[in-house]
């Protein structure tokens, strides 16, 4: 929802851009090749971590699917959990506790052992609905 007249004016100007103008636009990638590769691997690592956590996670029943929180975690270079904590609580203590228990229940996370980029991670979790 647009909150003031200036925002409305900007919205109107953006909606007036012709589709063929957008087709000819070329936006350069803001990441260099090394950053792009690191981002791709980071996303792959998060996917693996999520799969490992979800495999053992027992969510509490009746938690709204729109309820969510974030757990921060620190791993050593071999993928072992050093510490984990609820960074942003969901507002549902049972959901927070179950997610943290699942994070701590993974014996060893599958992360590239030679990289320093995968030591400080976050895990976003949601209720089932």
């Amino acid at each position: 929802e647009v909150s003031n007249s200036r925002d409305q004016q900007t919205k109107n100007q953006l909606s007036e851009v012709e589709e063929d103008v957008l087709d000819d636009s070329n936006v350069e990638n803001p990441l260099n090749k090394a950053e792009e590769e690191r981002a791709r691997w980071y996303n792959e690592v998060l996917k693996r971590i999520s799969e490992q956590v979800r495999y053992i996670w027992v969510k509490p029943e009746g938690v709204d699917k729109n309820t969510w929180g974030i757990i921060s975690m620190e791993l050593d270079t071999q993928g072992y959990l050093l510490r984990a904590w609820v960074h942003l609580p969901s507002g549902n203590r049972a959901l927070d506790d179950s997610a943290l228990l699942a994070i701590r229940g993974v014996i060893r996370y599958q992360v590239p052992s030679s990289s320093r980029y995968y030591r400080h991670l976050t895990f976003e979790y949601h209720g089932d609905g």
Side-chain angles (χ1 to χ4, degrees), residues 48-68:
R48 286 185 203 165
I49 286 173
S50 293
E51 289 170 353
Q52 288 180 273
V53 170
R54 292 183 201 297
Y55 184 74
I56 63 170
W57 189 11
V58 179
K59 291 184 182 182
E61 293 184 22
V63 179
D64 187 289
K65 66 181 178 183
N66 294 321
T67 303
W68 62 277

Side-chain angles (χ1 to χ4, degrees), residues 73-83 106-111 119:
M73 52 197 291
E74 185 178 337
L75 306 176
D76 70 9
T77 57
Q78 300 301 311
Y80 292 100
L81 184 68
L82 297 173
R83 52 186 217 137
V106 175
I107 295 170
R108 180 177 176 270
Y109 286 94
Q110 299 171 2
V111 296
R119 297 194 57 205

